[in-house]
Amino acid sequence: MKSRATTPPHSDLTAENWPIACNMLTFGGRTPDGTPTEDASATTWAGQLRQVRELGFDHIDPTDAWLSLAKLSPERLNEFRSVLADEGLGISSISMTRSSVVDRKNGEQNLADAHRFLDIAPEVGASIVNLGFMQGLTPAQQQALWFWLEPGHVDDPELRPLAIERIRELGDHAAANGIQLSLEMYEDTYVGTPEDAVQFVKDVGHDAVGLNPDIGNLVRLHRPIPSSPGMIDLFETVLPYCNFWHIKNYTRDEDPATGSYSSAPVPLKYGVINYRAVIRRAIELGYRGPFCTEHYGSDSIGVCAENRDYIRQVVGSALNRPDQPTNQQGASA
């Protein structure tokens, strides 16, 4: 059964039909009774999906932190697609979370899962598979109020050539299936700074591989980061290479006198990143990829819905600006 929500071609994108998904990670990977979401009933899936649809979403991102489509049997995958269609939702992107393809223990399985996602994506209407090099949370991160308050995984420089090789392999698969691969920016990984992220994509050197400028992952850290008004300079380096966008915002404060930091998740228009300026700049540079709204804490999907409406207004303004043509396509779009 085909869902009612589909991803429009780039040439037909407007503020109203631009794919803006809700990341399903807010529901977690287990039901209240502890059942893994991929083993839950179709009724359970429908109950979670309906909450998102009731907030006005047309698309979701079924991240593997919620439900790994790669682990579903063909029969259960068809069942999921039927539930999705019944709830009137489409899939614009699929994200892998903490499933690095160079994880020393699980890298080969994660690589196999990534290939499976690349085969599933065009079947469900997704144009992007997103992955990163972040790995599982440490025990200290699991106990912290916010996991980013504790140190996490740091990528091994010796594995960088293998990471490039495996991403290039996945890029070949993505291109063969008519979709794209996006690499999520995340601290202390091979794509952990704007400069490192761009260099990694250049070293991969594949037209089907771009970046996910999830710089919200960086501004929340309690450590020094380059700063500029609206954090616009952080984005300027990466935007020409971006094909997908996990989008979220945080407050951030630094006290030079004490060396203390603070950060907290907030809706897009209230945080330290000036997304009105950043999104307009991205569209000016040719960005035409999907957005995926995220938020941690509070009513996450409610904030995601608020963020979706904000994005649509900003996109509409950017597409209608009289001083800049916006019909060009970016190299990674």
Side-chain angles (χ1 to χ4, degrees):
M1 185 179 297
K2 187 176 180 181
S3 66
R4 291 174 294 199
T6 58
T7 302
H10 293 158
S11 59
D12 296 332
L13 282 174
T14 67
E16 290 72 30
N17 68 12
W18 201 298
I20 304 175
C22 181
N23 195 320
M24 296 296 288
L25 64 82
T26 186
F27 293 103
R30 293 183 179 272
T31 64
D33 66 2
T35 302
T37 310
E38 54 258 26
D39 296 331
S41 67
T43 303
T44 298
W45 296 342
Q48 295 178 341
L49 290 167
R50 186 165 300 178
Q51 291 182 63
V52 172
R53 182 59 178 164
E54 288 172 344
L55 287 166
F57 278 100
D58 297 317
H59 294 88
I60 64 162
D61 184 313
T63 170
D64 62 355
W66 172 61
L67 187 160
S68 178
L69 299 185
K71 291 180 169 58
L72 296 181
S73 68
E75 294 76 19
R76 289 233 77 191
L77 181 58
N78 285 336
E79 186 177 19
F80 177 79
R81 293 177 65 181
S82 180
V83 172
L84 193 74
D86 288 345
E87 296 302 324
L89 288 163
I91 296 175
S92 50
S93 58
I94 300 174
S95 291
M96 294 182 67
T97 302
R98 304 192 180 282
S99 303
S100 171
V101 296
V102 290
D103 183 308
R104 290 188 182 276
K105 181 179 179 181
N106 301 310
E108 291 188 2
Q109 181 59 56
N110 293 340
L111 178 63
D113 286 347
H115 278 293
R116 176 71 178 127
F117 281 125
L118 289 169
D119 283 332
I120 291 172
E123 295 177 2
V124 298
S127 61
I128 293 282
V129 170
N130 172 80
L131 58 82
F133 298 106
M134 71 288 280
Q135 298 189 21
L137 298 175
T138 67
Q141 286 181 311
Q142 292 173 4
Q143 295 299 316
L145 172 63
W146 303 113
F147 62 82
W148 54 85
L149 300 181
E150 294 288 343
H153 166 78
V154 178
D155 271 342
D156 184 348
E158 292 185 0
L159 294 178
R160 189 176 184 275
L162 178 62
I164 291 171
E165 175 186 329
R166 288 184 170 178
I167 295 301
R168 192 177 291 136
E169 172 188 329
L170 292 170
D172 287 342
H173 189 172
N177 284 357
I179 61 173
Q180 297 214 327
L181 188 72
S182 194
L183 303 178
E184 180 176 348
M185 293 182 63
Y186 198 92
E187 75 269 12
D188 301 324
T189 69
Y190 305 122
V191 289
T193 68
E195 294 75 20
D196 287 347
V198 168
Q199 189 59 57
F200 190 90
V201 167
K202 287 182 176 180
D203 290 345
V204 171
H206 201 297
D207 288 344
V209 179
L211 289 175
N212 167 2
D214 195 353
I215 288 177
N217 289 337
L218 307 183
V219 302
R220 68 191 179 192
L221 299 175
H222 287 199
R223 65 173 78 167
I225 62 170
S227 61
S228 63
M231 298 292 169
I232 296 171
D233 287 353
L234 282 173
F235 285 89
E236 188 68 22
T237 302
V238 300
L239 286 179
Y241 300 88
C242 294
N243 58 1
F244 176 57
W245 206 331
H246 280 173
I247 190 164
K248 54 184 179 282
N249 213 345
Y250 296 82
T251 62
R252 177 178 173 87
D253 189 38
E254 305 176 27
D255 184 353
T258 63
S260 65
Y261 298 87
S262 66
S263 61
V266 292
L268 290 183
K269 64 183 178 181
Y270 298 119
V272 69
I273 299 171
N274 180 355
Y275 275 113
R276 182 170 300 277
V278 171
I279 292 172
R280 288 174 67 88
R281 178 59 174 156
I283 291 175
E284 178 184 331
L285 291 171
Y287 181 75
R288 297 296 184 271
F291 292 93
C292 176
T293 58
E294 295 183 332
H295 183 75
Y296 288 96
S298 62
D299 174 10
S300 295
I301 59 173
V303 174
C304 285
E306 180 180 335
N307 288 343
R308 177 204 61 225
D309 294 343
Y310 170 82
I311 294 168
R312 291 209 190 282
Q313 193 283 319
V314 174
V315 167
S317 175
L319 292 175
N320 291 326
R321 57 186 295 183
D323 58 328
Q324 176 71 41
T326 58
N327 59 359
Q328 72 270 31
Q329 297 296 317
S332 299

